[in-house]
Coordinates of all heavy atoms in Angstrom, one line a residue:
M1 N -33.2 16.1 8.3 CA -32.1 15.4 9.1 C -31.1 14.8 8.0 O -31.5 14.2 7.0 CB -32.7 14.2 9.9 CG -31.8 13.8 10.9 SD -32.4 12.7 12.3 CE -34.1 12.4 12.0
S2 N -29.9 15.1 8.4 CA -28.8 14.7 7.4 C -28.1 13.5 8.0 O -27.7 13.5 9.2 CB -27.9 15.8 7.1 OG -26.8 15.4 6.3
Y3 N -27.9 12.5 7.2 CA -27.1 11.3 7.6 C -25.7 11.3 6.9 O -25.7 11.6 5.7 CB -27.9 10.0 7.4 CG -29.1 9.9 8.2 CD1 -30.4 10.1 7.6 CD2 -29.1 9.5 9.5 CE1 -31.5 10.0 8.3 CE2 -30.2 9.3 10.2 CZ -31.4 9.6 9.6 OH -32.5 9.4 10.3
S4 N -24.7 10.9 7.6 CA -23.4 10.8 7.0 C -23.4 9.5 6.2 O -24.0 8.5 6.6 CB -22.3 10.9 8.0 OG -22.4 9.8 8.9
P5 N -22.6 9.5 5.1 CA -22.4 8.2 4.4 C -21.8 7.2 5.1 O -21.1 7.5 6.1 CB -21.6 8.7 3.1 CG -20.9 9.8 3.5 CD -21.8 10.5 4.6
H6 N -22.0 5.9 4.7 CA -21.3 4.8 5.3 C -19.7 5.0 5.2 O -19.3 5.4 4.2 CB -21.7 3.5 4.6 CG -21.3 2.3 5.3 ND1 -20.0 1.8 5.2 CD2 -21.9 1.4 6.2 CE1 -19.9 0.6 6.0 NE2 -21.0 0.5 6.6
P7 N -19.0 4.7 6.2 CA -17.6 5.0 6.2 C -16.7 4.3 5.1 O -15.7 4.8 4.7 CB -17.0 4.6 7.6 CG -18.1 3.7 8.2 CD -19.3 4.2 7.5
Y8 N -17.3 3.2 4.6 CA -16.5 2.4 3.6 C -17.2 2.6 2.2 O -16.8 1.8 1.3 CB -16.4 0.9 4.0 CG -15.7 0.7 5.3 CD1 -16.4 0.1 6.4 CD2 -14.5 1.3 5.5 CE1 -15.7 -0.1 7.5 CE2 -13.8 1.1 6.7 CZ -14.4 0.4 7.8 OH -13.8 0.3 8.9
Q9 N -18.1 3.5 2.1 CA -18.8 3.6 0.8 C -17.9 4.4 -0.1 O -17.2 5.4 0.3 CB -20.1 4.3 1.0 CG -20.9 4.4 -0.3 CD -22.3 5.0 0.0 OE1 -22.5 5.5 1.0 NE2 -23.1 5.0 -1.1
H10 N -17.8 4.0 -1.3 CA -17.0 4.6 -2.4 C -17.6 6.0 -2.6 O -18.8 6.1 -2.8 CB -16.9 3.8 -3.6 CG -15.9 4.3 -4.5 ND1 -16.1 5.3 -5.4 CD2 -14.6 3.9 -4.7 CE1 -15.0 5.5 -6.1 NE2 -14.1 4.7 -5.7
P11 N -16.9 7.1 -2.6 CA -17.5 8.4 -2.7 C -18.2 8.7 -4.1 O -19.0 9.5 -4.1 CB -16.3 9.4 -2.5 CG -15.0 8.6 -2.6 CD -15.4 7.2 -2.3
A12 N -17.8 8.0 -5.1 CA -18.3 8.2 -6.4 C -19.6 7.5 -6.6 O -20.3 7.8 -7.6 CB -17.3 7.8 -7.5
T13 N -20.1 6.7 -5.8 CA -21.3 5.9 -6.0 C -22.5 6.6 -5.2 O -22.3 7.2 -4.1 CB -21.2 4.5 -5.4 OG1 -20.9 4.5 -4.0 CG2 -20.1 3.7 -6.2
N14 N -23.6 6.5 -5.8 CA -24.8 7.1 -5.2 C -25.6 6.1 -4.4 O -26.3 6.4 -3.5 CB -25.6 7.8 -6.2 CG -25.0 9.1 -6.7 OD1 -24.3 9.7 -6.0 ND2 -25.3 9.4 -8.0
S15 N -25.5 4.8 -4.8 CA -26.2 3.7 -4.2 C -25.4 3.2 -3.0 O -24.3 3.2 -3.0 CB -26.6 2.6 -5.2 OG -25.4 1.8 -5.3
G16 N -26.2 2.7 -2.1 CA -25.6 2.1 -0.9 C -25.2 0.7 -1.1 O -24.8 0.0 -0.2
M17 N -25.2 0.2 -2.3 CA -25.0 -1.3 -2.5 C -23.5 -1.5 -2.8 O -23.1 -2.6 -2.7 CB -25.8 -1.8 -3.8 CG -27.3 -1.6 -3.6 SD -27.8 -2.6 -2.1 CE -27.6 -4.3 -2.8
Q18 N -22.7 -0.5 -3.2 CA -21.3 -0.8 -3.5 C -20.4 -0.2 -2.4 O -20.5 1.0 -2.1 CB -20.9 -0.2 -4.8 CG -21.7 -0.8 -6.0 CD -21.4 -0.1 -7.3 OE1 -20.9 1.0 -7.3 NE2 -21.6 -0.8 -8.4
Y19 N -19.6 -1.1 -1.8 CA -18.7 -0.6 -0.7 C -17.4 -1.1 -1.1 O -17.1 -2.2 -1.6 CB -19.1 -1.2 0.6 CG -20.5 -0.9 1.1 CD1 -21.6 -1.6 1.0 CD2 -20.6 0.4 1.7 CE1 -22.8 -1.2 1.3 CE2 -21.9 0.8 2.1 CZ -23.0 0.0 2.0 OH -24.2 0.4 2.4
S20 N -16.4 -0.3 -0.7 CA -15.0 -0.7 -0.8 C -14.6 -1.2 0.6 O -15.3 -1.0 1.6 CB -14.1 0.5 -1.2 OG -14.1 1.5 -0.2
T21 N -13.5 -2.0 0.5 CA -13.2 -2.7 1.8 C -12.2 -1.8 2.6 O -11.5 -0.9 1.9 CB -12.5 -4.0 1.6 OG1 -11.4 -3.7 0.7 CG2 -13.4 -5.0 0.9
P22 N -12.2 -1.9 3.9 CA -11.1 -1.0 4.6 C -9.8 -1.5 4.2 O -9.5 -2.6 3.8 CB -11.5 -1.4 6.1 CG -12.3 -2.5 6.0 CD -12.9 -2.7 4.7
P23 N -8.8 -0.6 4.4 CA -7.5 -1.0 4.0 C -6.8 -2.2 4.8 O -7.2 -2.3 6.0 CB -6.6 0.3 4.2 CG -7.5 1.2 5.0 CD -8.9 0.8 4.9
K24 N -6.0 -2.9 4.1 CA -5.3 -4.0 4.9 C -3.9 -3.8 4.8 O -3.2 -3.3 3.9 CB -5.6 -5.3 4.0 CG -7.1 -5.6 3.8 CD -7.8 -6.0 5.0 CE -9.2 -6.4 4.9 NZ -9.9 -6.6 6.0
S25 N -3.2 -4.3 5.9 CA -1.8 -4.2 6.0 C -1.1 -5.4 5.3 O -1.5 -6.5 5.6 CB -1.4 -4.2 7.5 OG 0.0 -4.4 7.6
F26 N -0.2 -5.0 4.4 CA 0.5 -6.1 3.6 C 1.4 -6.9 4.6 O 1.5 -8.1 4.5 CB 1.3 -5.5 2.5 CG 1.9 -6.6 1.6 CD1 1.1 -7.4 0.8 CD2 3.3 -6.7 1.5 CE1 1.7 -8.3 0.0 CE2 3.9 -7.7 0.8 CZ 3.1 -8.5 0.0
V27 N 2.1 -6.2 5.5 CA 3.0 -6.9 6.4 C 2.2 -7.8 7.3 O 2.6 -9.0 7.6 CB 3.8 -5.9 7.3 CG1 4.6 -6.6 8.3 CG2 4.7 -5.0 6.4
A28 N 1.1 -7.4 7.9 CA 0.2 -8.2 8.7 C -0.3 -9.4 7.9 O -0.3 -10.5 8.5 CB -1.0 -7.5 9.2
T29 N -0.7 -9.2 6.6 CA -1.1 -10.3 5.9 C 0.0 -11.4 5.6 O -0.2 -12.6 5.7 CB -1.6 -9.8 4.5 OG1 -2.6 -8.8 4.7 CG2 -2.1 -11.0 3.7
I30 N 1.2 -10.9 5.4 CA 2.3 -11.8 5.2 C 2.7 -12.6 6.5 O 2.8 -13.9 6.4 CB 3.6 -11.1 4.7 CG1 3.4 -10.6 3.3 CG2 4.8 -12.0 4.8 CD1 3.2 -11.6 2.3
L31 N 2.6 -11.9 7.6 CA 2.9 -12.6 8.9 C 1.7 -13.6 9.2 O 2.0 -14.7 9.7 CB 3.0 -11.6 10.0 CG 4.2 -10.8 9.9 CD1 4.2 -9.6 11.1 CD2 5.5 -11.6 10.1
L32 N 0.5 -13.2 9.0 CA -0.7 -14.1 9.2 C -0.5 -15.3 8.3 O -0.8 -16.5 8.7 CB -2.0 -13.5 9.0 CG -2.4 -12.5 10.1 CD1 -3.7 -11.7 9.6 CD2 -2.7 -13.3 11.3
S33 N -0.1 -15.1 7.1 CA 0.0 -16.2 6.1 C 1.1 -17.2 6.5 O 1.0 -18.4 6.4 CB 0.3 -15.7 4.7 OG 0.3 -16.7 3.7
F34 N 2.2 -16.7 7.0 CA 3.4 -17.5 7.4 C 3.0 -18.3 8.6 O 3.3 -19.5 8.7 CB 4.6 -16.6 7.6 CG 5.8 -17.5 7.9 CD1 6.5 -18.1 6.8 CD2 6.3 -17.6 9.1 CE1 7.6 -18.9 7.0 CE2 7.5 -18.4 9.4 CZ 8.1 -19.0 8.3
F35 N 2.5 -17.6 9.7 CA 2.3 -18.3 11.0 C 1.0 -19.0 11.1 O 0.9 -20.0 11.8 CB 2.5 -17.3 12.2 CG 3.9 -16.8 12.3 CD1 4.3 -15.5 11.9 CD2 4.9 -17.6 12.7 CE1 5.6 -15.1 12.1 CE2 6.2 -17.3 12.9 CZ 6.6 -16.0 12.5
L36 N -0.1 -18.4 10.5 CA -1.5 -19.1 10.7 C -2.1 -19.4 9.4 O -3.3 -19.6 9.3 CB -2.3 -18.1 11.5 CG -1.9 -17.7 12.9 CD1 -2.7 -16.6 13.4 CD2 -1.9 -18.9 13.7
G37 N -1.3 -19.5 8.4 CA -1.8 -19.8 7.0 C -2.4 -21.2 6.9 O -3.4 -21.5 6.2
N38 N -1.9 -22.2 7.7 CA -2.5 -23.5 7.8 C -3.9 -23.5 8.3 O -4.7 -24.5 7.9 CB -1.7 -24.5 8.6 CG -0.4 -24.9 8.0 OD1 -0.3 -24.9 6.7 ND2 0.7 -25.1 8.8
L39 N -4.3 -22.5 9.0 CA -5.6 -22.4 9.6 C -6.6 -21.6 8.7 O -7.7 -21.4 9.0 CB -5.6 -21.9 11.0 CG -4.8 -22.7 12.0 CD1 -4.7 -21.9 13.3 CD2 -5.3 -24.1 12.1
G40 N -6.0 -20.9 7.7 CA -6.8 -20.1 6.8 C -7.1 -18.7 7.3 O -7.8 -18.0 6.7
I41 N -6.4 -18.3 8.3 CA -6.7 -17.0 9.0 C -6.2 -15.9 8.0 O -6.9 -14.9 8.0 CB -5.9 -16.9 10.3 CG1 -6.3 -18.0 11.3 CG2 -6.0 -15.5 10.9 CD1 -7.7 -18.0 11.7
D42 N -5.2 -16.1 7.2 CA -4.7 -15.1 6.3 C -5.9 -14.8 5.2 O -6.1 -13.6 5.0 CB -3.4 -15.5 5.6 CG -3.6 -16.9 4.9 OD1 -4.5 -17.6 5.2 OD2 -2.7 -17.2 4.1
R43 N -6.5 -15.8 4.7 CA -7.5 -15.5 3.8 C -8.8 -14.9 4.4 O -9.5 -14.1 3.8 CB -8.0 -16.8 3.0 CG -6.9 -17.2 2.0 CD -6.8 -16.2 0.9 NE -5.9 -16.7 -0.1 CZ -5.8 -16.2 -1.3 NH1 -6.5 -15.1 -1.6 NH2 -4.9 -16.6 -2.1
M44 N -9.1 -15.3 5.6 CA -10.2 -14.7 6.3 C -9.9 -13.2 6.6 O -10.9 -12.4 6.4 CB -10.5 -15.4 7.6 CG -11.0 -16.8 7.4 SD -11.4 -17.6 8.9 CE -11.5 -19.3 8.4
Y45 N -8.7 -12.8 6.9 CA -8.3 -11.5 7.1 C -8.5 -10.7 5.9 O -8.9 -9.5 6.0 CB -6.9 -11.4 7.7 CG -6.3 -10.1 7.7 CD1 -6.7 -9.1 8.7 CD2 -5.4 -9.5 6.8 CE1 -6.2 -7.9 8.8 CE2 -4.9 -8.3 6.8 CZ -5.3 -7.5 7.9 OH -4.8 -6.2 7.9
L46 N -8.3 -11.2 4.7 CA -8.4 -10.5 3.5 C -9.8 -10.4 3.0 O -10.1 -9.8 2.0 CB -7.5 -11.2 2.4 CG -6.0 -11.1 2.6 CD1 -5.3 -11.9 1.6 CD2 -5.6 -9.6 2.6
G47 N -10.8 -11.1 3.7 CA -12.1 -11.1 3.3 C -12.6 -12.2 2.5 O -13.7 -12.3 2.0
H48 N -11.7 -13.1 2.2 CA -12.0 -14.4 1.4 C -12.3 -15.5 2.4 O -11.6 -16.5 2.6 CB -10.8 -14.7 0.6 CG -10.3 -13.7 -0.3 ND1 -9.0 -13.5 -0.6 CD2 -11.0 -12.7 -1.0 CE1 -8.7 -12.5 -1.3 NE2 -9.9 -12.0 -1.6
V49 N -13.5 -15.3 3.0 CA -13.9 -16.3 4.1 C -14.1 -17.6 3.6 O -13.7 -18.6 4.2 CB -15.2 -15.7 4.8 CG1 -15.6 -16.6 5.9 CG2 -14.9 -14.3 5.4
G50 N -14.7 -17.8 2.5 CA -14.9 -19.2 1.9 C -13.6 -19.9 1.6 O -13.5 -21.1 2.0
L51 N -12.6 -19.2 1.1 CA -11.3 -19.8 0.9 C -10.7 -20.1 2.2 O -10.0 -21.1 2.4 CB -10.4 -18.9 0.1 CG -10.4 -19.0 -1.4 CD1 -9.5 -17.9 -2.0 CD2 -10.0 -20.3 -1.8
G52 N -10.9 -19.2 3.2 CA -10.2 -19.5 4.5 C -10.8 -20.7 5.2 O -10.1 -21.5 5.8
I53 N -12.1 -20.8 5.1 CA -12.7 -22.0 5.7 C -12.3 -23.3 4.9 O -12.0 -24.4 5.5 CB -14.3 -21.9 5.7 CG1 -14.6 -20.9 6.7 CG2 -14.9 -23.3 6.1 CD1 -16.1 -20.4 6.7
A54 N -12.3 -23.2 3.6 CA -11.8 -24.4 2.8 C -10.3 -24.7 3.1 O -10.0 -25.9 3.3 CB -12.0 -24.1 1.3
K55 N -9.5 -23.8 3.3 CA -8.1 -24.0 3.6 C -8.0 -24.6 5.0 O -7.2 -25.5 5.2 CB -7.5 -22.7 3.6 CG -5.9 -22.7 3.5 CD -5.4 -21.3 3.2 CE -3.9 -21.3 3.3 NZ -3.4 -20.0 3.2
L56 N -8.8 -24.2 6.0 CA -8.8 -24.7 7.3 C -9.2 -26.2 7.3 O -8.6 -27.0 7.9 CB -9.8 -23.9 8.2 CG -10.1 -24.5 9.6 CD1 -8.8 -24.4 10.5 CD2 -11.2 -23.7 10.2
L57 N -10.2 -26.5 6.5 CA -10.7 -27.9 6.5 C -10.0 -28.8 5.6 O -9.9 -30.0 5.9 CB -12.2 -27.9 6.0 CG -13.1 -27.1 6.9 CD1 -14.6 -27.1 6.4 CD2 -13.2 -27.8 8.4
L58 N -9.3 -28.3 4.5 CA -8.7 -29.2 3.5 C -7.1 -29.1 3.5 O -6.6 -29.8 2.7 CB -9.3 -29.0 2.2 CG -10.8 -29.2 2.0 CD1 -11.3 -28.7 0.7 CD2 -11.1 -30.7 2.3
N59 N -6.5 -28.3 4.2 CA -5.1 -28.1 4.1 C -4.3 -29.4 4.5 O -3.3 -29.7 3.9 CB -4.6 -27.0 5.0 CG -3.2 -26.5 4.6 OD1 -2.9 -26.5 3.5 ND2 -2.4 -26.2 5.6
W60 N -4.9 -30.2 5.4 CA -4.3 -31.5 5.7 C -4.3 -32.4 4.5 O -3.3 -33.2 4.4 CB -5.0 -32.1 6.9 CG -6.5 -32.5 6.5 CD1 -7.6 -31.7 6.6 CD2 -6.9 -33.7 5.9 NE1 -8.6 -32.4 6.1 CE2 -8.3 -33.6 5.7 CE3 -6.3 -34.9 5.5 CZ2 -9.0 -34.7 5.1 CZ3 -7.0 -35.9 4.9 CH2 -8.4 -35.7 4.7
A61 N -5.2 -32.3 3.6 CA -5.3 -33.2 2.5 C -4.2 -32.8 1.4 O -3.8 -33.7 0.7 CB -6.6 -33.1 1.8
T62 N -3.6 -31.7 1.5 CA -2.6 -31.3 0.5 C -1.2 -31.4 1.2 O -0.3 -30.9 0.6 CB -2.8 -29.8 0.0 OG1 -2.8 -28.9 1.1 CG2 -4.2 -29.7 -0.7
L63 N -1.2 -31.9 2.4 CA 0.1 -32.0 3.2 C 0.8 -30.7 3.4 O 2.0 -30.6 3.3 CB 0.9 -33.1 2.5 CG 0.3 -34.5 2.3 CD1 1.3 -35.3 1.5 CD2 0.0 -35.1 3.6
G64 N 0.1 -29.7 3.5 CA 0.7 -28.3 3.7 C 1.1 -27.6 2.4 O 1.6 -26.5 2.5
L65 N 0.9 -28.2 1.3 CA 1.3 -27.6 0.0 C 0.5 -26.4 -0.3 O 0.9 -25.4 -0.8 CB 1.3 -28.7 -1.1 CG 1.9 -28.2 -2.4 CD1 3.4 -28.0 -2.2 CD2 1.7 -29.3 -3.4
W66 N -0.8 -26.5 0.0 CA -1.7 -25.3 -0.2 C -1.2 -24.1 0.6 O -1.2 -23.0 0.1 CB -3.2 -25.7 0.2 CG -4.2 -24.7 -0.1 CD1 -4.0 -23.5 -0.7 CD2 -5.6 -24.9 0.0 NE1 -5.2 -22.8 -0.8 CE2 -6.2 -23.7 -0.4 CE3 -6.4 -25.8 0.6 CZ2 -7.5 -23.5 -0.4 CZ3 -7.7 -25.7 0.5 CH2 -8.3 -24.5 0.0
W67 N -0.7 -24.3 1.8 CA -0.2 -23.2 2.6 C 1.0 -22.5 1.9 O 1.1 -21.3 1.8 CB 0.2 -23.7 4.0 CG 1.1 -22.6 4.7 CD1 0.6 -21.6 5.4 CD2 2.5 -22.6 4.7 NE1 1.7 -20.8 5.9 CE2 2.9 -21.4 5.5 CE3 3.5 -23.4 4.3 CZ2 4.2 -21.1 5.8 CZ3 4.8 -23.1 4.5 CH2 5.1 -21.9 5.3
L68 N 1.9 -23.3 1.4 CA 3.1 -22.8 0.8 C 2.8 -22.1 -0.5 O 3.2 -21.0 -0.8 CB 4.1 -24.0 0.5 CG 5.4 -23.5 -0.3 CD1 6.2 -22.5 0.7 CD2 6.2 -24.8 -0.6
I69 N 1.9 -22.7 -1.3 CA 1.6 -22.0 -2.6 C 0.8 -20.8 -2.3 O 1.0 -19.7 -3.0 CB 0.7 -23.0 -3.4 CG1 1.6 -24.2 -4.0 CG2 0.1 -22.3 -4.7 CD1 0.9 -25.2 -4.6
D70 N -0.2 -20.8 -1.4 CA -0.9 -19.6 -0.9 C 0.0 -18.5 -0.5 O -0.2 -17.3 -0.8 CB -2.0 -20.0 0.0 CG -3.2 -19.0 -0.1 OD1 -3.4 -18.5 -1.2 OD2 -3.9 -18.8 1.0
F71 N 1.0 -18.8 0.4 CA 2.0 -17.8 0.9 C 2.7 -17.1 -0.3 O 2.8 -15.9 -0.2 CB 2.9 -18.5 1.9 CG 4.0 -17.6 2.4 CD1 3.7 -16.7 3.4 CD2 5.3 -17.7 1.9 CE1 4.7 -15.8 3.9 CE2 6.3 -16.8 2.4 CZ 6.0 -15.9 3.3
I72 N 3.1 -17.9 -1.2 CA 3.9 -17.3 -2.3 C 2.9 -16.4 -3.2 O 3.3 -15.3 -3.6 CB 4.4 -18.4 -3.2 CG1 5.6 -19.2 -2.4 CG2 5.0 -17.9 -4.6 CD1 6.1 -20.4 -3.1
I73 N 1.7 -16.8 -3.4 CA 0.7 -16.1 -4.1 C 0.4 -14.8 -3.4 O 0.4 -13.7 -4.0 CB -0.6 -16.9 -4.4 CG1 -0.3 -18.0 -5.4 CG2 -1.7 -16.0 -4.9 CD1 -1.5 -18.9 -5.6
I74 N 0.2 -14.8 -2.1 CA -0.1 -13.5 -1.4 C 1.1 -12.7 -1.3 O 1.1 -11.4 -1.5 CB -0.5 -13.9 0.1 CG1 -1.9 -14.6 0.0 CG2 -0.5 -12.7 1.0 CD1 -2.4 -15.1 1.4
A75 N 2.3 -13.2 -1.2 CA 3.6 -12.4 -1.1 C 3.8 -11.7 -2.5 O 4.3 -10.5 -2.5 CB 4.8 -13.3 -0.8
C76 N 3.4 -12.3 -3.5 CA 3.6 -11.8 -4.9 C 2.4 -11.0 -5.4 O 2.4 -10.4 -6.5 CB 3.9 -12.8 -5.9 SG 5.5 -13.7 -5.5
K77 N 1.3 -11.0 -4.6 CA 0.0 -10.4 -5.0 C -0.3 -10.9 -6.4 O -0.6 -10.2 -7.3 CB 0.1 -8.9 -5.1 CG 0.4 -8.2 -3.7 CD 0.4 -6.7 -3.8 CE 0.9 -6.1 -2.6 NZ 1.2 -4.7 -2.8
G78 N -0.3 -12.3 -6.4 CA -0.4 -13.0 -7.8 C -1.8 -13.1 -8.3 O -1.9 -13.8 -9.3
T79 N -2.9 -12.7 -7.7 CA -4.2 -12.8 -8.3 C -4.8 -11.4 -8.4 O -4.4 -10.5 -7.7 CB -5.1 -13.6 -7.4 OG1 -5.4 -13.0 -6.2 CG2 -4.5 -15.1 -7.2
E80 N -5.8 -11.4 -9.3 CA -6.5 -10.1 -9.5 C -7.2 -9.6 -8.2 O -7.2 -8.4 -7.9 CB -7.6 -10.2 -10.6 CG -8.3 -8.9 -11.0 CD -7.4 -7.9 -11.4 OE1 -6.4 -8.2 -12.1 OE2 -7.6 -6.7 -11.2
A81 N -7.7 -10.5 -7.4 CA -8.4 -10.1 -6.1 C -7.4 -9.6 -5.2 O -7.7 -8.6 -4.4 CB -9.0 -11.4 -5.5
L82 N -6.2 -10.0 -5.1 CA -5.2 -9.5 -4.2 C -4.7 -8.2 -4.7 O -4.3 -7.2 -3.9 CB -4.0 -10.5 -4.1 CG -4.3 -11.8 -3.3 CD1 -3.1 -12.7 -3.4 CD2 -4.6 -11.4 -1.9
R83 N -4.7 -7.9 -6.0 CA -4.3 -6.6 -6.5 C -5.3 -5.6 -6.3 O -5.0 -4.3 -6.3 CB -3.9 -6.7 -8.1 CG -2.6 -7.5 -8.2 CD -2.2 -7.4 -9.7 NE -2.9 -8.2 -10.6 CZ -2.7 -9.5 -10.9 NH1 -1.7 -10.1 -10.3 NH2 -3.5 -10.2 -11.7
R84 N -6.5 -5.9 -6.2 CA -7.6 -4.9 -6.0 C -7.8 -4.5 -4.5 O -8.5 -3.5 -4.2 CB -8.9 -5.5 -6.4 CG -9.1 -5.5 -8.0 CD -10.4 -5.9 -8.4 NE -10.5 -7.4 -8.2 CZ -11.6 -8.1 -8.0 NH1 -12.7 -7.6 -8.0 NH2 -11.5 -9.4 -7.8
I85 N -7.1 -5.2 -3.6 CA -7.2 -4.8 -2.2 C -6.6 -3.5 -1.9 O -5.5 -3.2 -2.5 CB -6.6 -6.0 -1.3 CG1 -7.4 -7.2 -1.4 CG2 -6.4 -5.6 0.1 CD1 -6.9 -8.4 -0.7
N86 N -7.2 -2.7 -1.1 CA -6.6 -1.4 -0.7 C -5.6 -1.6 0.4 O -5.8 -1.7 1.6 CB -7.8 -0.5 -0.1 CG -7.3 0.8 0.2 OD1 -6.3 1.3 -0.2 ND2 -8.1 1.6 0.9
W87 N -4.3 -1.8 -0.1 CA -3.1 -2.1 0.8 C -2.7 -0.8 1.5 O -2.6 0.3 0.9 CB -2.0 -2.7 0.0 CG -2.3 -4.0 -0.5 CD1 -2.5 -4.3 -1.8 CD2 -2.4 -5.3 0.1 NE1 -2.8 -5.6 -2.0 CE2 -2.7 -6.3 -0.8 CE3 -2.3 -5.6 1.5 CZ2 -2.9 -7.6 -0.4 CZ3 -2.6 -7.0 1.8 CH2 -2.8 -7.9 0.9
V88 N -2.2 -0.9 2.7 CA -1.6 0.2 3.5 C -0.1 0.0 3.5 O 0.4 -1.0 3.6 CB -2.2 0.2 4.9 CG1 -1.5 1.4 5.6 CG2 -3.6 0.4 4.9

């Protein structure tokens, strides 16, 4: 019996432990960051769930400054993690 590989598995890997993430829309990410960035939805969409939850719980403490800085970082793809995302 033959099983097909996992749809998000990198074709060059033989082990099932390494997966690439599904593609993300840059426009959707920017819109989520602008409109729902205060709630951390943008980071959760990108797969950074821990940052999204932290942003949700602590954004009030930074008086919204975290949202603005994060919006600029996402728009410029300013971190290594953002540059590694499979953008559409």
